[in-house]
Amino acid sequence: MESSRKPTQDEMRLLEFLVQKATIKFPSGWNINLLVRPLNDEGMGSLQLIPEGVAIDRDRLLGEQVSECQFADEDGVEVIASLNIDGAGKLFELDIWKTDFSPLIGIPKKLE
Amino acid sequence: MGPGKWLPIASGKIESDYTFESIYVGGAVLKPAFLAARAAISRLFGVTAAKTGSNLTIQFGKGANQVSHAFRHTDALGLNRAVVKSAVETHFRGVSSQIVAGKPFNQIIEVVGQRIQYTAFKLKDGTINIGRIHGVK
C-alpha cells in the first residue's frame, strides 16, 4: 500500500463536494490535516481517508456511505464517486469507481 | 487472470468483449476447464453469447487487484468471496431486466445473514460491471 500524503487539489475539490451533499454534517475543519492513502484499485483513484486524530495504521471498518456523485471522465466513461465513513462516523474512504474499470483520467473541474 | 476476448471470426468482425467467469477458492482465482472449452468452441464457431439473464457478461474488476478492491468490505466482514460473488450474480440475473444503461443500479441482498449492497452498471456494449459491494444495516 502506498504511503499517506495530502490530497491533491482535484481530490480535495471532489471531497468538498461530497462532504457538502452528505447525509451527515461534518464538523468544520474536517479537512484540516486530512491525509489520504491511495487504495490498490489499479488507477481508478480511490483513497483511504485519514482524518486528524485517527492513527494511520488503525484498522477501521466501513460504517456507511454518506454521499455519492457521478461524472463523466475525459473519455466519456461514467465514474461514480462515493464518500464512506467508518463505524465511528469519521471519514473513511473516497471510493472512485470508473465503471469500465479503466484508470481515471481526471476529476472534472465542475462537479454537479 | 485477465479478461478473455473473442477472436475475430472469418468475416473479420470482432464480436464483443467477453470476460470469463471465475471461481475463487482460498483467494486463488481458478478458471474451470469447461469454461475455457466453452470459450474455445464459441471462438471456433463465432458464437456470441446472448445477453440474457442467464448468460450476461458480468465483471467485478479487470484484474486481481480490482476484484480484491470490489470485495474489500465483504472480506473485512469475514464473508467468503466466492459466496458473495455467487449470491450477487444469482440475484442480479433475476433483476437484470430492470437495469438502465448509464445509471447505477443499487441492490440489497442477504448473504449468510448479512445484508449486502452491490452496485451494477451497464456499459454501452451491454457488459455489466459490479462494484461497491459492502454491508448495510
Side-chain angles (χ1 to χ4, degrees):
Chain A
M1 185 178 284
E2 296 183 39
S3 57
S4 57
R5 58 169 172 78
K6 289 183 178 179
T8 65
Q9 284 187 347
D10 286 345
E11 290 166 348
M12 186 56 86
R13 187 174 64 256
L14 178 55
L15 283 168
E16 287 170 349
F17 179 77
L18 289 169
V19 163
Q20 194 174 28
K21 63 182 294 196
T23 55
I24 65 168
K25 187 169 174 60
F26 289 91
S28 60
W30 60 268
N31 51 358
I32 296 173
N33 295 325
L34 176 71
L35 295 176
V36 301
R37 185 155 53 185
L39 294 173
N40 193 4
D41 63 1
E42 298 187 15
M44 293 192 291
S46 298
L47 301 170
Q48 179 187 3
L49 306 177
I50 308 159
E52 189 175 42
V54 173
I56 287 177
D57 294 326
R58 182 177 152 202
D59 283 335
R60 295 188 290 157
L61 288 176
L62 172 70
E64 62 180 310
Q65 178 189 308
V66 294
S67 184
E68 73 171 17
C69 69
Q70 184 173 335
F71 58 85
D73 200 355
E74 292 173 23
D75 57 3
V77 176
E78 292 296 312
V79 178
I80 300 173
S82 315
L83 185 65
N84 298 330
I85 58 172
D86 66 13
K90 304 275 191 186
L91 285 171
F92 179 52
E93 285 180 346
L94 171 62
D95 184 278
I96 299 180
W97 177 29
K98 190 162 176 179
T99 53
D100 69 348
F101 294 115
S102 66
L104 180 71
I105 299 170
I107 296 169
K109 299 294 180 198
K110 188 175 181 183
L111 295 162
E112 296 174 348
Chain B
M1 178 184 306
K5 289 186 183 259
W6 292 107
L7 297 175
I9 58 175
S11 66
K13 179 185 176 189
I14 297 174
E15 288 296 314
S16 67
D17 285 351
Y18 186 87
T19 300
F20 295 119
E21 296 169 41
S22 301
I23 290 178
Y24 297 84
V25 178
V29 183
L30 306 176
K31 182 170 69 178
F34 76 89
L35 286 175
R38 186 180 70 182
I41 291 168
S42 296
R43 282 196 299 271
L44 184 62
F45 294 101
V47 176
T48 302
K51 305 292 185 185
T52 64
S54 62
N55 58 3
L56 284 166
T57 301
I58 299 175
Q59 299 185 118
F60 292 81
K62 279 192 171 171
N65 289 335
Q66 285 186 339
V67 172
S68 291
H69 182 74
F71 287 97
R72 68 193 185 284
H73 294 309
T74 50
D75 287 350
L77 291 172
L79 295 174
N80 181 289
R81 195 179 290 185
V83 171
V84 175
K85 179 175 182 284
S86 175
V88 168
E89 286 177 333
T90 301
H91 180 267
F92 180 76
R93 290 181 201 286
V95 296
S96 61
S97 63
Q98 298 172 36
I99 193 168
V100 176
K103 303 277 186 189
F105 184 67
N106 298 319
Q107 294 290 293
I108 295 176
I109 59 174
E110 191 168 307
V111 180
V112 199
Q114 174 76 49
R115 278 161 54 84
I116 297 294
Q117 178 174 307
Y118 70 87
T119 303
F121 196 94
K122 186 177 184 179
L123 301 182
K124 289 174 184 170
D125 68 358
T127 299
I128 302 297
N129 286 340
I130 292 181
R132 298 202 307 180
I133 310 168
H134 56 83
V136 290
K137 293 172 184 171

